[in-house]
Amino acid sequence: MQTSQPWDKLFPLSENVNHRKVEFKNRYGITLIGDLYTPKSGSCGMALAVSGPFGASKEQSSGFYAMKMAERGFITCAFDPSFTGESGGEPRATASPDINTEDFLAAVDFLSSLDEVDRDKIGIIGICGWGGIALNAAAVDPRIKATVASTMYDMCRVNGNGYFDGNDNEEDRYEARVAMANERSKAAQSGKLTPGGGVVDPLPADAPQFVKDYYDYYKTSRGYHPRSGNSNDGWHTFGCQAYANSRFLYYINEIRSAVLVMHGEKAHSRYFAEDAYKYMVEGTAPGYDAVRKPNPVPKNKELLIIPGANHCDLYDGGYTELEGKGEAKNMIPWEKLEEFFRLNLDKTIEK
């Protein structure tokens, strides 16, 4: 990749970090494109892979998180997942529980290959739907020493059960399966995939508040980006089909490494975080059919509920007025994130 390209992020480049484009492949041979941020003052050898939200691009929230953490001394890589943004993979606008988890592991592979990175000091940050994917990655890969799931969705649960588990029954799931099967037949006959649409536009007057929040981020100057699926055409009509029939957080109760689950008090999605945390620590929780043993290492797990914050406030910190205007609310607790990662990645700090 060219190391000098036009800056097209939704945030200005910090004068305290260096930036360059990078590329690496996952084990499926798909080339992933990322932005590597390094502190100008020198790094501590600790590195973070960052991705999300689900359907977003690295020019949005994940890049913002990566740059802010680089300001605090970490080497960070915000990457576009397979089939999205600047990364490779066909067909486009497709999601996969397996491949998306692998994308995080491939980012860990990449960071561990850098001379300036200590291989034993790598963590990950997943935002929104990638918060759930981050937990799945942490459950499968002990190389990940610390994980932050920010304003998380469990994409398997919401695709299979609907919001607040409102469609958690065989009949509703069957209807959804029939609809996706019909879409696949259309695509097979036409040779074309039909976009499912990103965030609803125009915004209905009676839209739920969380849909209005999504619109305010993805569809206005606050968060719009031309390579973001959520800002434009979204996934194709059966692009998340595999998520609907999967439950990939089954083993998070066995994560031994440190995990911080943080969510907004007023977020519609708060139940995803609270239930995932409870299941991770206790082995049982609402929304999880399985009942498993409590976590063997519960003391390094933490749930942080941020007062007054809605779901999208944890994308960029939030603003007091629409379209990113007014005063910045600064809802993302950067000091807490730095403290969490330093405590759990730096072996010299007494736990």
Side-chain angles (χ1 to χ4, degrees):
M1 293 293 296
Q2 297 178 3
T3 56
S4 59
Q5 297 181 357
W7 184 259
D8 61 351
K9 319 304 179 192
L10 294 174
F11 46 89
L13 178 62
S14 169
E15 61 183 14
N16 297 316
V17 306
N18 296 309
H19 161 267
R20 64 184 174 94
K21 283 286 184 73
V22 295
E23 66 176 59
F24 51 94
K25 287 188 177 183
N26 65 20
R27 68 182 176 92
Y28 294 98
I30 298 172
T31 299
L32 304 182
I33 305 300
D35 288 303
L36 188 72
Y37 297 90
T38 57
K40 288 184 177 179
S41 59
S43 77
C44 53
M46 294 182 278
L48 305 172
V50 190
S51 199
F54 197 77
S57 69
K58 64 188 181 306
E59 288 72 32
Q60 297 172 310
S61 184
S62 63
F64 183 58
Y65 271 70
M67 187 188 72
K68 297 298 285 186
M69 294 308 291
E71 287 182 323
R72 296 176 177 273
F74 298 85
I75 298 167
T76 63
C77 180
F79 63 92
D80 285 329
S82 298
F83 315 110
T84 64
E86 292 184 306
S87 290
E90 295 288 342
R92 306 302 292 168
T94 294
S96 162
D98 182 20
I99 296 176
N100 290 154
T101 301
E102 162 61 20
D103 288 342
F104 249 140
L105 307 189
V108 173
D109 294 341
F110 166 72
L111 289 172
S112 68
S113 73
L114 301 178
D115 291 339
E116 59 268 39
V117 172
D118 185 327
R119 296 179 183 178
D120 293 324
K121 297 181 180 180
I122 297 177
I124 61 175
I125 300 175
I127 306 158
C128 190
W130 275 79
I133 297 167
L135 293 181
N136 195 46
V140 77
D141 193 340
R143 296 179 304 167
I144 299 169
K145 304 303 183 185
T147 300
V148 167
S150 177
T151 195
M152 70 162 282
Y153 264 50
D154 179 341
M155 294 307 301
C156 290
R157 182 176 177 182
V158 75
N159 275 284
N161 296 357
Y163 280 104
F164 307 104
D165 300 323
N167 303 106
D168 186 14
N169 60 80
E170 186 273 340
E171 183 175 350
D172 284 348
R173 275 190 285 271
Y174 180 74
E175 290 181 3
R177 290 163 183 158
V178 168
M180 284 189 284
N182 289 337
E183 289 295 327
R184 290 189 72 111
S185 294
K186 290 180 185 177
Q189 293 169 5
S190 67
K192 298 180 180 179
L193 297 173
T194 302
V199 173
V200 61
D201 189 13
L203 182 68
D206 61 350
Q209 183 58 48
F210 76 91
V211 175
K212 294 178 181 178
D213 293 338
Y214 280 138
Y215 182 93
D216 183 55
Y217 182 80
Y218 286 110
K219 289 293 189 176
T220 74
S221 57
R222 174 185 170 191
Y224 176 84
H225 195 275
R227 286 196 295 274
S228 168
N230 294 338
S231 291
N232 297 283
D233 291 337
W235 307 101
H236 67 74
T237 49
F238 53 94
C240 298
Q241 186 176 29
Y243 273 97
N245 209 40
S246 302
R247 294 295 179 270
F248 68 173
L249 300 186
Y250 185 78
Y251 290 114
I252 61 172
N253 67 303
E254 297 180 358
I255 298 175
R256 297 188 181 187
S257 59
V259 178
L260 170 63
V261 178
M262 69 178 196
H263 221 95
E265 175 193 20
K266 296 183 177 179
H268 69 285
S269 50
R270 177 176 167 179
Y271 72 103
F272 289 127
E274 292 178 326
D275 292 350
Y277 174 79
K278 180 177 174 62
Y279 180 73
M280 178 172 57
V281 173
E282 300 179 14
T284 181
Y288 292 80
D289 293 336
V291 175
R292 297 181 57 76
K293 293 180 179 180
N295 196 290
V297 190
K299 291 184 178 180
N300 61 2
K301 311 299 187 292
E302 183 176 356
L303 174 65
L304 175 65
I305 301 299
I306 299 172
N310 65 35
H311 183 84
C312 293
D313 282 339
L314 298 190
Y315 284 6
D316 59 0
Y319 292 87
T320 56
E321 298 179 17
L322 297 177
E323 300 184 18
K325 299 176 181 178
E327 299 294 324
K329 294 194 289 185
N330 298 315
M331 290 290 193
I332 301 172
W334 301 115
E335 292 80 7
K336 173 64 178 179
L337 294 183
E338 179 182 1
E339 176 188 26
F340 169 79
F341 281 116
R342 287 191 179 275
L343 177 64
N344 292 290
L345 295 180
D346 191 343
K347 296 183 179 66
T348 65
I349 296 178
E350 184 176 351
K351 303 297 190 290

